Amino acid sequence: MKTYSHILFDLDHTLWDFDRCATETLVELYQANQLERLGCPSAEAFCEAFHQVNYRLWDLYNRGKYDSERLRRERFFMVLDELDMEYDDSLPPLLAKEYLATCPTKGYVIAGAIELLEKLGQQYPLHIITNGFSDVQATKLKYAGLTDYFQTVTTSDESGYRKPHQGIFHYSLNRIPAVADECIMIGDNLKSDILGAQNAKIDSVYFNPDQNPHSSAVTHEIQSLPELLTIL
């Protein structure tokens, strides 16, 4: 088994439980803003519409077709339109502000994350490489109790590159400092995390808890975070 000197992690969906944190926040927004009065059928429908829109926008962002400000500005307009709601134009910016103020403060992490980081941190320097925004990701790490586990956190807006572009990985390696052969990347996204690592000549571990079928060539694949200990 190959020996590594540095471990690189994605954050959202890999360590920080985005789905749980976002869903809890959206239910709170639905209730606080009485969205049922504007034609939204249920909190579940609001959450589903958000996740569908958010997935599309982040895919566009990762491919360089959307910038962060446009994503933040347009996201809730698109969610409410998806639900055919009648609303005042002041509502989507309000929802966006409340969402960004609340969601990153939710501290839910993926099962096994803390225990894994405790063990790995005794042997390896740990690092984050994320396409998320610097201010938001720092808040997530703080409230989830993850900040102290990582020596560096590299974001797309800080580096000027988005995964899967190799530039964000090279930026991170220069900060560490390390060379590609010394590192391994763990992430849940085949397009951004795994392809990005391959572009930078870094070994990878595809975190695939739902066991989604795929034909991508990955260095390793795991269904739960504790499995990583059998690789390292």
Side-chain angles (χ1 to χ4, degrees):
M1 193 72 71
K2 183 176 177 181
T3 301
Y4 301 97
S5 300
H6 296 269
I7 314 299
L8 316 175
F9 282 95
D10 173 52
L11 182 57
D12 293 354
H13 302 284
T14 299
L15 296 173
W16 190 73
D17 193 339
F18 172 84
D19 289 339
R20 184 177 179 186
C21 294
T23 297
E24 184 172 289
T25 301
L26 293 165
V27 171
E28 293 172 0
L29 293 182
Y30 176 86
Q31 295 171 342
N33 292 279
Q34 300 181 318
L35 297 186
E36 73 282 0
R37 294 189 176 185
L38 300 177
C40 186
S42 66
E44 291 76 12
F46 182 55
C47 292
E48 182 178 353
F50 174 88
H51 287 300
Q52 290 177 353
V53 167
N54 196 56
Y55 178 85
R56 295 199 302 267
L57 291 182
W58 272 98
D59 181 61
L60 291 170
Y61 175 83
N62 291 338
R63 291 191 282 126
K65 297 183 181 296
Y66 250 65
D67 62 35
S68 59
E69 289 306 313
R70 184 181 176 191
L71 189 154
R72 290 177 171 184
R73 183 175 65 251
E74 296 183 3
R75 180 165 48 188
F76 279 96
F77 280 98
M78 296 173 69
V79 171
L80 300 189
D81 287 342
E82 189 88 3
L83 293 162
D84 293 323
M85 293 173 57
E86 295 184 6
Y87 59 90
D88 185 275
D89 282 351
S90 64
L91 180 59
L94 174 63
L95 293 174
K97 181 180 179 180
E98 293 178 349
Y99 176 83
L100 288 173
T102 304
C103 189
T105 68
K106 303 290 184 181
Y108 302 117
V109 297
I110 300 294
I114 298 297
E115 295 81 2
L116 175 69
L117 296 175
E118 287 280 359
K119 292 179 180 179
L120 291 180
Q122 297 173 17
Q123 186 175 355
Y124 304 95
L126 308 179
H127 310 272
I128 292 284
I129 301 180
T130 171
N131 278 0
F133 314 129
S134 295
D135 55 344
V136 175
Q137 301 305 70
T139 303
K140 292 175 183 176
L141 289 165
K142 174 185 175 182
Y143 281 88
L146 299 176
T147 304
D148 291 343
Y149 291 107
F150 297 98
Q151 292 193 1
T152 66
V153 177
T154 297
T155 64
S156 53
D157 56 346
E158 172 195 6
S159 68
Y161 300 97
R162 304 167 189 173
K163 296 180 291 184
H165 196 288
Q166 61 184 314
I168 190 172
F169 292 91
H170 292 162
Y171 184 94
S172 178
L173 295 184
N174 287 335
R175 292 184 65 199
I176 290 174
V179 298
D181 197 52
E182 296 177 305
C183 303
I184 189 167
M185 173 74 189
I186 297 90
D188 71 291
N189 191 302
L190 286 169
K191 292 181 181 179
S192 58
D193 301 318
I194 306 308
L195 178 59
Q198 291 172 352
N199 289 341
K201 304 296 190 289
I202 296 172
D203 287 349
S204 61
V205 179
Y206 175 40
F207 176 47
N208 185 15
D210 296 328
Q211 300 185 50
N212 295 316
H214 66 91
S215 57
S216 300
V218 299
T219 314
H220 304 281
E221 182 170 339
I222 58 176
Q223 282 74 56
S224 67
L225 289 179
E227 290 180 61
L228 188 59
L229 296 173
T230 66
I231 296 170
L232 300 174

